[in-house]
């Protein structure tokens, strides 16, 4: 059963999201065998299904990365050797050979990057938690994007009196880079992207938020944005937010 949860009893708003429930029914009878009614048990298996799907996608990624990666290097090396050895011997056609081999080399390089993304997703290492400064990690990630995108207004609000947090520094940095990369694609030129960090001692938590004034995410795709290989970008792999989701989950 798929139940679209909008409001709970008493009119308290809930998140607008899809939950998957497993229903089990049992007939209730008295000592003489007369039916008294039916008892129905509902179990929310939404998170279980998400974990199972993620593991299945990781297995697919492992297999794809293994099958594609092996032939790429010899293809690239062969094209480079052909260009180096024969380009000058073809006189007028040398330019054609140069363009064709350059295209092969470029496309193979693109495939290698894609395969590496598959492999990274499939073998995302277990988080190694060490005391870390979240302000510093976020600042370093933002610096990379500020330098590369001068036409976008990046804003950073660091947290005050932050405690040292148990984090995997590289994984959090990677999650931030993936989020910022999506934000850049969403805002285009002259957009605004903000990263804010707030300490909430009462809740025993630190909040990190990445926001932008871009095109946003439509409700029709919001349910699927963390699924591996689902992307609204023409050249997207659909792995960026899946990796972010896995990293955030590992950090609870």
């Amino acid at each position: 059963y798929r139940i679209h949860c909008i409001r709970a009893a008493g009119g308290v708003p809930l998140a607008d999201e899809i939950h998957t429930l497993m229903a089990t029914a049992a007939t209730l009878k008295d000592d003489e065998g007369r039916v008294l009614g039916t008892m129905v048990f509902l179990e929310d298996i939404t998170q279980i299904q998400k974990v199972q799907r993620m593991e299945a996608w990781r297995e697919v990624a492992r297999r794809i990365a293994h099958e594609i990666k092996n032939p790429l290097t010899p293809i690239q090396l062969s094209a480079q050797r052909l260009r180096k050895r024969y380009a000058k011997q073809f006189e007028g056609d040398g330019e054609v050979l140069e363009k064709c081999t350059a295209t092969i080399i470029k496309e193979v390089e693109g495939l290698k990057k894609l395969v590496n993304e598959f492999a990274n997703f499939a073998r995302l290492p277990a988080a190694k938690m060490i005391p870390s400064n979240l302000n510093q990690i976020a600042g370093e990630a933002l610096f990379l994007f500020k330098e590369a995108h001068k036409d976008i207004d990046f804003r950073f609000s660091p947290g005050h009196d932050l405690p040292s947090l148990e984090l995997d520094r590289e994984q959090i940095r990677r999650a931030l880079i993936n989020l910022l990369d999506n934000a850049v694609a969403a805002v285009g030129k002259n957009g605004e992207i903000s990263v804010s960090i707030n300490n909430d001692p009462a809740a025993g938590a630190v909040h990190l938020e990445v926001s932008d004034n871009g095109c946003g995410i439509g409700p029709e795709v919001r349910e699927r944005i963390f699924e591996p290989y689902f992307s609204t970008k023409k050249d997207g792999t659909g792995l960026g937010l899946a990796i972010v989701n896995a990293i955030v989950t590992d950090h609870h």
Side-chain angles (χ1 to χ4, degrees), residues 93-169:
D93 294 328
E95 185 178 351
V96 175
L97 179 64
E98 172 67 23
K99 286 183 178 180
C100 289
T101 52
T103 299
I104 292 171
I105 294 167
K106 179 182 176 182
E107 293 302 322
V108 168
E109 195 62 39
L111 278 173
K112 279 186 172 182
K113 290 180 180 178
L114 178 60
V115 169
N116 286 336
E117 281 295 305
F118 275 59
N120 288 338
F121 172 66
R123 296 194 302 268
L124 197 62
K128 297 179 180 178
M129 309 296 192
I130 60 172
S132 304
N133 185 325
L134 187 58
N135 282 336
Q136 185 180 12
I137 297 172
E140 290 173 357
L142 266 175
F143 176 78
L144 297 174
F145 283 85
K146 284 182 178 179
E147 292 300 309
H149 303 281
K150 298 289 188 180
D151 51 350
I152 295 177
D153 181 17
F154 290 92
R155 300 179 181 181
F156 181 36
S157 300
H160 298 292
D161 300 322
L162 282 190
S164 181
L165 302 172
E166 293 290 326
L167 303 173
D168 185 311
R169 181 184 180 87

Side-chain angles (χ1 to χ4, degrees), residues 44-62:
D44 189 342
I45 60 171
T46 308
Q47 293 301 320
I48 295 174
Q49 282 199 331
K50 286 182 179 179
V51 172
Q52 289 175 340
R53 282 198 298 268
M54 189 66 71
E55 288 305 313
W57 278 120
R58 285 188 176 183
E59 179 59 28
V60 171
R62 276 191 288 269

Side-chain angles (χ1 to χ4, degrees), residues 6-230:
I6 299 176
R7 291 186 181 274
V12 179
L14 290 177
D16 187 10
E17 58 186 12
I18 298 294
H19 284 261
T20 303
L21 306 181
M22 183 171 66
T24 305
T27 302
L28 300 179
K29 298 181 181 180
D30 60 16
D31 294 341
E32 296 178 2
R34 289 175 297 192
V35 176
L36 300 176
T38 303
M39 179 72 75
V40 178
F41 299 91
L42 297 177
E43 181 183 2
D44 189 342
I45 60 171
T46 308
Q47 293 301 320
I48 295 174
Q49 282 199 331
K50 286 182 179 179
V51 172
Q52 289 175 340
R53 282 198 298 268
M54 189 66 71
E55 288 305 313
W57 278 120
R58 285 188 176 183
E59 179 59 28
V60 171
R62 276 191 288 269
R63 294 185 180 186
I64 291 176
H66 177 73
E67 294 297 327
I68 296 179
K69 195 170 185 178
N70 287 340
L72 291 182
T73 298
I75 290 173
Q76 189 176 39
L77 289 175
S78 296
Q80 290 172 337
R81 288 171 181 169
L82 284 171
R83 181 173 63 177
K84 184 176 181 180
R85 182 165 183 176
Y86 296 108
K88 294 181 181 180
Q89 299 180 21
F90 279 85
E91 297 180 355
D93 294 328
E95 185 178 351
V96 175
L97 179 64
E98 172 67 23
K99 286 183 178 180
C100 289
T101 52
T103 299
I104 292 171
I105 294 167
K106 179 182 176 182
E107 293 302 322
V108 168
E109 195 62 39
L111 278 173
K112 279 186 172 182
K113 290 180 180 178
L114 178 60
V115 169
N116 286 336
E117 281 295 305
F118 275 59
N120 288 338
F121 172 66
R123 296 194 302 268
L124 197 62
K128 297 179 180 178
M129 309 296 192
I130 60 172
S132 304
N133 185 325
L134 187 58
N135 282 336
Q136 185 180 12
I137 297 172
E140 290 173 357
L142 266 175
F143 176 78
L144 297 174
F145 283 85
K146 284 182 178 179
E147 292 300 309
H149 303 281
K150 298 289 188 180
D151 51 350
I152 295 177
D153 181 17
F154 290 92
R155 300 179 181 181
F156 181 36
S157 300
H160 298 292
D161 300 322
L162 282 190
S164 181
L165 302 172
E166 293 290 326
L167 303 173
D168 185 311
R169 181 184 180 87
E170 288 306 314
Q171 287 196 17
I172 292 295
R173 182 174 176 273
R174 184 177 182 187
L176 275 168
I177 287 173
N178 284 355
L179 290 174
L180 290 169
D181 191 50
N182 276 9
V184 167
V187 301
K189 292 183 177 180
N190 302 316
E192 295 179 2
I193 298 174
S194 299
V195 176
S196 61
I197 300 173
N198 294 293
N199 186 21
D200 187 353
V206 171
H207 303 280
L208 185 152
E209 182 180 276
V210 178
S211 59
D212 62 69
N213 66 344
C215 56
I217 301 170
E220 68 280 0
V221 299
R222 199 171 297 155
E223 292 287 336
R224 303 188 60 195
I225 59 173
F226 295 122
E227 288 183 13
Y229 314 124
F230 173 79

